[in-house]
Structure formats: C-alpha cells, structure tokens
Amino acid sequence: QVSTDDPERAFCTLANREELNPEEGSIHHCLYQFTRNETLTETNKLLCDVCTQRHCGPKNNIKSEKKHVYTNAKKQMLISLAPPILTLHLKRFQHAGFNLRKVNRHIKFPEVIDLAPFCTAKCKNVAEGNTKVLYSLYGVVEHSGTMRSGHYTAYVKMRAMNNHLSDLVLRGQSQALETEPVKGQWFHISDTHVQPVSVSKVLSSQAYLLFYERLL
C-alpha cells in the first residue's frame, strides 16, 4: 500500500524512541531492533512508479521491465493499531551451519510495557495527546529442552475481569485509566500440576511467548 502521508511524519512515533535507550537482552531491545529505520539501497532499492512515469512517460507506454526506475528508500515497521491483547513471540532458534540451535538466553521483560515508542504517531485507537500505550503482563509460555524435544509450561495470572478491555474488544475503544499492573495471583502450570508462584519467579522465566492486556 502506497502512503501519501507527509514524509516528515511518516517515521514519527507516539513517544520519542531515541530516549528509550533499551538494555541489550531485553524485550524493549528486541522491539527496538524489529522497528528500526532501515535504508534500502543497491539490490534492495524500491520500485518507484512515480519515478518510472517521470522518466518513461505514462504507465501504458512502459513495455519493458528494464525501463522501471528503482530508487533508494527508507523502511520502518511500526504499530498502526494497538491491539487489546498483545502477543509477543520470541525467536528461540538460530542457524548453526545446516542445523537449528535453540537459544536459551534469558530475555528480560517487564510487568508493564509501553508500546508508544513503537507505535506510529497516528496510531488509530490511541486518544489524541496520549503518549503512552500501556500493557500489563498476564501470561507467559516457557519451553524447556532442545529443538528436537522438550516440554511446555505456562505462567498465568488469575485476576478480576477487565471491563475496560471488554470495551476495547467489543467497541474498539476504552476509557481505561490504569497505569499499574493488574492485581492478581500468579500460577505455574505444568500438565496437571498447578502451584502459586511469585512475580519474580515469572519475570525470571525463559519466555517463549508473552501475553499482555491493554491498560491505557
């Protein structure tokens, strides 16, 4: 989809991402890297219809692919619609020659995360003037083992119903004002075994999937 927005605003975010200074090995650093501004040059140049028409005339006159004009460009992936439920899937494998190897490094993640530095300045369901898009952690999936075998367990927070979240899901809008983590008890679930755990235990887990619910 071709965007005709003001190019000066095309790469703007709700909050200044340059002030984030994310710690390496954290979920903030992962998001920062995933949404970084990229320059497309050489073999990655962008096919530009406007440049092609300016150089070769109307599109109907273009008969050869060789006449297509490619240009340097900038690319950035940002969130344009903040979801009611945020699911973050960590890539837990890397190539080692012709084989895949599991990545067991601990990735730090918070109880409350602000997505504003990763949202476009015109994020559709964020009230004008808001510079925060907050989410509260309520679930974690952890995998132990190797790429060939292993075991999945989960951490889940038992909490009261979030009426603001229901409004967001059903009507696409919410008047939520909470900025603190949703209160509740965490449980560790492994097959049929369930036991209560502390939040520190949850935050020290080797997260594979993270589940957050919208606060603000």
Side-chain angles (χ1 to χ4, degrees):
Q1 181 179 359
V2 177
S3 173
T4 56
D5 291 344
D6 180 357
E8 295 298 323
R9 298 281 295 166
F11 299 97
C12 291
T13 51
L14 280 175
N16 189 346
R17 58 189 283 117
E18 300 309 320
E19 295 179 357
L20 187 61
N21 192 24
E23 179 184 357
E24 189 173 352
S26 68
I27 198 69
H28 288 98
H29 188 259
C30 294
L31 287 168
Y32 187 89
Q33 289 294 100
F34 187 77
T35 59
R36 72 186 186 279
N37 194 319
E38 300 177 60
T39 303
L40 306 179
T41 60
E42 299 179 356
T43 57
N44 290 322
K45 284 185 178 181
L46 186 71
L47 173 59
C48 178
D49 290 335
V50 175
C51 300
T52 299
Q53 291 183 28
R54 185 184 298 125
H55 185 265
C56 305
K59 190 174 182 180
N60 293 335
N61 294 337
I62 301 174
K63 299 180 180 179
S64 172
E65 187 176 345
K66 294 182 179 178
K67 292 185 178 180
H68 290 172
V69 177
Y70 293 81
T71 184
N72 293 337
K74 289 183 179 180
K75 168 190 171 184
Q76 187 175 27
M77 296 180 67
L78 294 172
I79 298 169
S80 62
L81 183 69
I85 299 296
L86 173 67
T87 304
L88 299 176
H89 182 184
L90 278 67
K91 183 180 177 181
R92 283 281 180 191
F93 65 88
Q94 64 182 19
H95 288 277
F98 293 100
N99 298 318
L100 288 177
R101 182 172 59 191
K102 185 184 174 186
V103 177
N104 290 310
R105 180 182 182 182
H106 174 67
I107 299 298
K108 295 181 180 179
F109 55 95
E111 260 196 285
V112 172
I113 190 170
D114 184 6
L115 275 194
F118 317 110
C119 292
T120 176
K122 295 184 178 180
C123 199
K124 296 182 179 66
N125 57 349
V126 176
E128 187 175 353
N130 276 10
T131 57
K132 289 183 179 296
V133 183
L134 302 180
Y135 287 82
S136 178
L137 183 72
Y138 74 90
V140 180
V141 173
E142 184 178 44
H143 178 268
S144 58
T146 66
M147 291 293 296
R148 294 182 177 273
S149 64
H151 180 59
Y152 288 97
T153 59
Y155 294 91
V156 179
K157 180 190 281 189
M158 187 174 71
R159 62 216 187 280
M161 180 177 177
N162 186 339
N163 292 322
H164 298 302
L165 186 64
S166 300
D167 291 341
L168 189 60
V169 172
L170 296 175
R171 290 184 283 276
Q173 57 185 0
S174 172
Q175 301 299 319
L177 297 175
E178 291 87 347
T179 58
E180 299 295 327
V182 176
K183 294 181 180 179
Q185 173 63 55
W186 281 97
F187 289 89
H188 183 230
I189 304 170
S190 178
D191 293 333
T192 58
H193 184 66
V194 180
Q195 65 176 1
V197 294
S198 65
V199 65
S200 61
K201 173 69 174 175
V202 176
L203 297 179
S204 64
S205 64
Q206 296 279 18
Y208 179 54
L209 289 167
L210 296 168
F211 299 90
Y212 287 87
E213 60 183 330
R214 181 90 175 265
L215 287 178
L216 178 65

